[in-house]
Amino acid sequence: MGVTDADEPVERVFQALCEGRLARDDLTARKIAAFLGQTTMVLYHHFGSLDGFLIRVDGAGWRRLAGLLEARARAGADARALAVAYVEFALRHPDLYWLMAERRFDRARLREEGRLRLARPLWSGFVELLRRYGSARPAEDTHVLFAGLHGIAMLALSGRANLGEAPAPDEEVAFAAARRLADLVLPARPPEPPAPQPIGDRGPRRSA
């Protein structure tokens, strides 16, 4: 049976990466098609290229992370807890996180093809989250915080988070570093409540 819904193969690969049933070495056109029980044409017909498909899976990962951080913010988590949640997400889903933050995409081509339409709204959501946590320069601080948390996550994933002599687990050291980074970037204050969404606002639409 052929794939009739372009979102269905994206969701299947996304969930398989989340659950560890697919790894980064499986993210080739041939292996993805075999996993889906299709030919490689399923990727090119619906998504234009392997990059066009994987950028959709990448977007699903960032939406999942954004939703996780937003849920914790609404529950009253402080900035340190959100920083830990970011690193924890990367450590719990290493292959998905590699796709989200490490794999190289031909972004110029994807932009020309209109396949990066969700990137700006997603980034704006992260910027707004930092503004609610008291950042005076939320756009700049978002770059700084993401760069720092990514570095912490990658050190932990490579087994190099604990570069000192203390016999602490890499994960524990990474979480402590994330908390300290949040202290340096953001003021110590509770988050502002999110602004109510207008009636009928259903959030960003999925790209085709």
Side-chain angles (χ1 to χ4, degrees), residues 143-162:
H143 280 286
V144 171
L145 192 60
F146 267 65
L149 292 175
H150 174 65
I152 291 167
M154 294 310 298
L155 283 170
L157 287 169
S158 66
R160 297 180 176 90
N162 188 1

Side-chain angles (χ1 to χ4, degrees), residues 150-184:
H150 174 65
I152 291 167
M154 294 310 298
L155 283 170
L157 287 169
S158 66
R160 297 180 176 90
N162 188 1
L163 299 179
E165 297 180 357
D170 280 351
E171 183 174 286
E172 181 180 320
V173 173
F175 291 165
R179 295 185 190 98
R180 179 58 180 150
L181 179 62
D183 288 341
L184 293 172

Side-chain angles (χ1 to χ4, degrees), residues 61-137:
W62 285 111
R63 287 193 297 275
R64 174 69 63 84
L65 177 57
L68 169 67
L69 298 181
E70 179 64 31
R72 296 199 180 186
R74 288 175 181 271
D78 61 15
R80 302 172 105 221
L82 291 195
V84 169
Y86 179 105
V87 174
E88 186 176 32
F89 179 92
L91 301 188
R92 297 294 179 268
H93 310 292
D95 293 299
L96 173 62
Y97 185 73
W98 172 84
L99 174 66
M100 293 164 55
E102 288 284 297
R103 186 187 184 276
R104 295 181 67 87
F105 286 94
D106 186 345
R107 291 187 178 273
R109 180 179 175 182
L110 291 172
R111 188 172 291 107
E112 290 175 0
E113 295 174 350
R115 297 185 183 276
L116 294 181
R117 287 175 290 178
L118 289 182
R120 189 175 297 277
L122 274 169
W123 183 256
S124 296
F126 287 118
V127 173
E128 171 59 18
L129 185 61
L130 262 68
R131 187 203 65 76
R132 282 161 42 198
Y133 273 79
S135 171
R137 294 180 293 184

